[in-house]
Amino acid sequence: MKKVRSRKSEVRSLTNILVMTLLFLFGLTLSATKASADLTIKANHDHIKVDFFYHGSSVSVAGDADSGTDLIIKIASPDGHEVLKQKGKVGGLLWMNTGTLNFEQTPDLYSIHSTKKIEDILGPEETDKYVIGYPALSRHIRISPALGEEEKEKWFGEFVKYKESSNLYTASSGKIMTTVKDGKQTYYIMTQWPYQAPPGDYLVTVYAVKDKQVIEKAETNVSVEQVGTIKALAGMAKNRAALYGVISIIAALAAGFGVGLIFRKGGGAH
Amino acid sequence: MDFMYLYLPVALTSINILVPVGLGLAVGLLSGLFGVGGGFLMTPLLIMFGIPSTVAAATDSNQIVAASTSGTYAHWKVGNVDFKMGLYLLIGGFIGGLFGVQAIKILKATGNADFVIKMTYVIMLGVVGTYMFIESLNSMKKSKNQSQESVVRSQESGMTKFLKSLPFQTHFEKSGVTHSTLLPIIFGGFVGVLAAIMGVGGGFLMVPVMVYILRMPMHVVVGTSLFQILFNCIEVTFLQAYTNHNVDFILAVLLLLGSTVGAQVGAVFGRKLKGEQLKIILAVIVLVVTAEIVLELTLTPSLLIAQGGGH
């Protein structure tokens, strides 16, 4: 009997330890959840409508963060691929298309903003893990046909230049405004949403960074959608191509004749 | 000034409406004056203003349908369209186009299509521009100096004899010439092959063919050229819309607002100029475009990467 009792008490104390440990871990998790709730993100325009008069938009990204953290905001479309022509000198004299490059795992839109220079606040392993900044993006993107390191760097540079020329890629540091009040940090940045960005879903992520590591991140979405006549025309061009072609031709013929008639009436006989 | 911008549903970009209307007006003017479609000017300009190259080329052909309808109508009113000649040229152009598309496939398979296309373009533009320039300069001098005319007549007779010896001779009333029907079909075909290879309408080649080989009067050349460009561009617009989905309706409307008016003004203005004057101005424009392309080929481009498609 004694033995049995002592075993029972052993089991009880073990259970107690287990429960205590579980409670402790649960408490830890609770506090961690609480900490991540400190980082928030909100975009003022999360649904951009593309109508006739759409000429890009201004999107502000704002939220709260722990004081003492640096912030990085990334706006990007899902990875896709692009086939582009490369230009080179032929015969040492003439610039021509010399080949085709396939860029895989490339976001169509990539916009990165940080409170300080990325290399000063985040380690290379972390930048690569979250694809933060052009150098990290260059290691993320696959270019085929396969190129040597030097060539890859060159053509990635050209790719960024090409994307920046149509405002689809941007990078800035120091443009995020932050204010600290009662130990809490709020941040805000106004970004120009390029009209060149095609319809689709875009992910806006804020990373809180401390000691060269990402300690938290929060996400929100911005969707760009065509509406009204723009949507109808784009849909028709794709899905009812023959009818679209015929209408385009008839409209052009009618316009040509119409203007011809106006000129005959207005201009008199020559 | 955002209200000046319109969004283009197929090009997926926004453009200041003054740009396409202004470009349309300028290129339409050339179209009405010289009987060219103006694709060699319009397409690169649209690309410069941020329109994707494939959409620029396809939408331009839609716009040319309107400009050439307007221009053909203006020239037809004063009896300057030779429909019979236009029809034979069209038949030739259609057959030539089929061969040209095959030629492109073969070129692409050999891997240096771009080089061949660019060089064909530069050489054709250069040769045609230079020849027209020198010839029209000479004929302007000759019209002042009548005594040389007899020499020209005797030079012409050799070629005329050969052309007269061809079968299927027929009279083209509007142009006032008699030719074998084979002649416009063969040369229309020749232009069709080159135009397909270069990816342009070929008006700048068709005009010299009509002037120098078919010996048509310049004013009839302009009207007839526009007539056959109209039909070519209807076909191209449909194929581009149907197979490539590259025609932007809104952009085409903005362009044709300018180009249909430009074509009328050009046609009216052209009647006030002599044939030689028209030829020499066209020659200068063709030479300027040639020089521009040569510069573009030799100067280091700002971007070493570009979208696929287009030339």
Side-chain angles (χ1 to χ4, degrees):
Chain A
M1 274 305 273
K2 231 183 185 181
K3 257 189 180 173
V4 174
R5 248 185 214 166
S6 72
R7 265 192 195 162
K8 264 189 182 171
S9 65
E10 263 178 44
V11 170
R12 222 175 258 162
S13 57
L14 257 176
T15 319
N16 282 345
I17 291 168
L18 262 174
V19 168
M20 291 287 279
T21 321
L22 277 174
L23 276 175
F24 178 66
L25 282 174
F26 188 55
L28 267 184
T29 333
L30 264 182
S31 65
T33 319
K34 198 169 169 270
S36 72
D38 282 346
L39 186 68
T40 62
I41 187 166
K42 189 161 171 42
N44 69 333
H45 284 163
D46 51 8
H47 193 110
I48 297 172
K49 287 181 177 147
V50 178
D51 60 13
F52 251 117
F53 303 101
Y54 177 67
H55 187 56
S57 183
S58 301
V59 174
S60 73
V61 180
D64 300 326
D66 265 348
S67 62
T69 56
D70 275 304
L71 299 167
I72 298 167
I73 294 168
K74 180 168 91 173
I75 307 172
S77 55
D79 280 357
H81 78 274
E82 270 184 73
V83 182
L84 296 166
K85 286 194 170 161
Q86 62 182 137
K87 287 184 184 169
K89 261 193 173 177
V90 175
L93 184 70
L94 302 172
W95 285 96
M96 302 215 172
N97 294 331
T98 48
T100 309
L101 286 177
N102 290 287
F103 292 82
E104 305 281 349
Q105 290 181 235
T106 54
D108 192 35
L109 178 107
Y110 184 83
S111 175
I112 199 105
H113 307 279
S114 51
T115 45
K116 291 184 192 129
K117 278 189 179 170
I118 290 168
E119 59 267 32
D120 295 342
I121 55 174
L122 202 57
E125 268 179 30
E126 292 283 280
T127 58
D128 285 9
K129 184 178 169 192
Y130 297 101
V131 196
I132 293 172
Y134 287 157
L137 187 63
S138 84
R139 289 185 285 272
H140 177 73
I141 284 179
R142 299 273 164 269
I143 304 177
S144 66
L147 303 168
E149 266 315 303
E150 214 171 283
E151 280 282 288
K152 189 185 173 187
E153 202 172 301
K154 177 193 165 188
W155 288 106
F156 176 76
E158 290 297 330
F159 178 73
V160 170
K161 258 204 308 195
Y162 163 75
K163 294 298 251 179
E164 283 184 339
S165 73
S166 49
N167 304 318
L168 289 168
Y169 278 26
T170 48
S172 82
S173 72
K175 284 189 183 163
I176 301 175
M177 287 187 287
T178 55
T179 46
V180 179
K181 205 177 167 188
D182 304 329
K184 239 188 176 184
Q185 182 176 219
T186 58
Y187 68 90
Y188 172 87
I189 188 168
M190 179 63 93
T191 62
Q192 288 305 310
W193 194 273
Y195 56 78
Q196 292 93 338
D201 287 320
Y202 296 84
L203 189 64
V204 186
T205 315
V206 61
Y207 301 90
V209 173
K210 205 173 186 179
D211 302 328
K212 299 234 161 186
Q213 290 212 316
V214 171
I215 56 165
E216 283 176 58
K217 66 172 189 170
E219 293 172 346
T220 185
N221 284 295
V222 170
S223 73
V224 178
E225 195 197 3
Q226 295 179 329
V227 295
T229 317
I230 293 293
K231 189 182 179 181
L233 281 172
M236 194 178 174
K238 224 176 223 176
N239 305 323
R240 307 184 72 180
L243 182 66
Y244 180 86
V246 170
I247 290 176
S248 303
I249 291 163
I250 291 174
L253 286 170
F257 271 120
V259 171
L261 286 171
I262 292 166
F263 264 71
R264 187 170 68 171
K265 278 180 189 164
H270 277 274
Chain B
M1 295 289 275
D2 273 6
F3 64 94
M4 294 299 283
Y5 287 85
L6 274 190
Y7 189 79
L8 309 173
V10 174
L12 296 179
T13 188
S14 167
I15 198 165
N16 185 325
I17 53 174
L18 295 181
V19 170
V21 174
L23 288 179
L25 198 65
V27 175
L29 193 72
L30 297 182
S31 188
L33 263 175
F34 307 115
V36 292
F40 64 97
L41 280 174
M42 184 67 98
T43 308
L45 286 171
L46 287 176
I47 294 168
M48 214 176 83
F49 282 101
I51 308 296
S53 52
T54 47
V55 178
T59 307
D60 187 38
S61 45
N62 188 13
Q63 172 278 128
I64 295 173
V65 171
S68 55
T69 303
S70 174
T72 306
Y73 187 73
H75 286 278
W76 169 75
K77 277 187 303 193
V78 287
N80 281 340
V81 180
D82 189 334
F83 288 105
K84 189 175 167 185
M85 186 69 90
L87 190 70
Y88 287 127
L89 288 170
L90 267 174
I91 293 168
F94 181 75
I95 298 167
L98 294 178
F99 280 105
V101 171
Q102 290 306 314
I104 282 272
K105 272 189 193 162
I106 294 165
L107 278 175
K108 285 205 169 142
T110 63
N112 50 3
D114 197 57
F115 183 78
V116 176
I117 290 165
K118 280 264 161 67
M119 289 328 278
T120 314
Y121 202 12
V122 170
I123 292 168
M124 287 318 291
L125 278 172
V127 167
V128 166
T130 311
Y131 181 80
M132 274 179 85
F133 186 80
I134 294 170
E135 191 280 334
S136 43
L137 206 64
N138 281 342
S139 60
M140 275 164 120
K141 277 183 198 158
K142 268 172 218 154
S143 64
K144 284 179 189 165
N145 191 353
Q146 295 289 328
S147 63
Q148 282 184 352
E149 204 166 316
S150 57
V151 183
V152 183
R153 283 272 157 80
S154 69
Q155 272 177 351
E156 273 176 18
S157 65
M159 186 165 164
T160 319
K161 236 183 220 168
F162 170 70
L163 294 180
K164 287 269 181 287
S165 69
L166 291 169
F168 311 114
Q169 292 289 327
T170 179
H171 184 66
F172 295 91
E173 213 174 300
K174 271 276 148 63
S175 305
V177 292
T178 304
H179 285 302
S180 161
T181 49
L182 291 176
L183 208 58
I185 292 176
I186 289 168
F187 282 97
F190 172 70
V191 172
V193 171
L194 288 175
I197 290 176
M198 295 183 286
V200 294
F204 74 95
L205 292 174
M206 195 58 100
V207 169
V209 161
M210 285 193 263
V211 174
Y212 298 116
I213 295 168
L214 303 176
R215 302 261 154 203
M216 292 160 65
M218 184 63 188
H219 286 97
V220 182
V221 165
V222 174
T224 310
S225 172
L226 285 174
F227 168 73
Q228 73 93 34
I229 283 172
L230 165 62
F231 282 89
N232 271 337
C233 284
I234 286 177
E235 186 201 350
V236 174
T237 304
F238 184 78
L239 289 178
Q240 286 278 17
Y242 187 64
T243 50
N244 300 331
H245 315 291
N246 278 334
V247 175
D248 194 302
F249 186 74
I250 303 296
L251 180 60
V253 168
L254 291 174
L255 288 168
L256 67 80
L257 281 179
S259 69
T260 48
V261 174
Q264 291 287 333
V265 176
V268 171
F269 192 55
R271 270 171 245 145
K272 294 181 178 154
L273 292 173
K274 285 182 189 144
E276 277 75 32
Q277 290 171 319
L278 280 176
K279 275 188 266 176
I280 206 160
I281 301 170
L282 178 59
V284 170
I285 291 170
V286 169
L287 286 175
V288 168
V289 172
T290 314
E292 202 274 328
I293 295 175
V294 170
L295 270 182
E296 198 187 291
L297 284 175
T298 46
L299 296 179
T300 308
S302 59
L303 292 172
L304 293 184
I305 254 178
Q307 277 174 325
H311 294 303

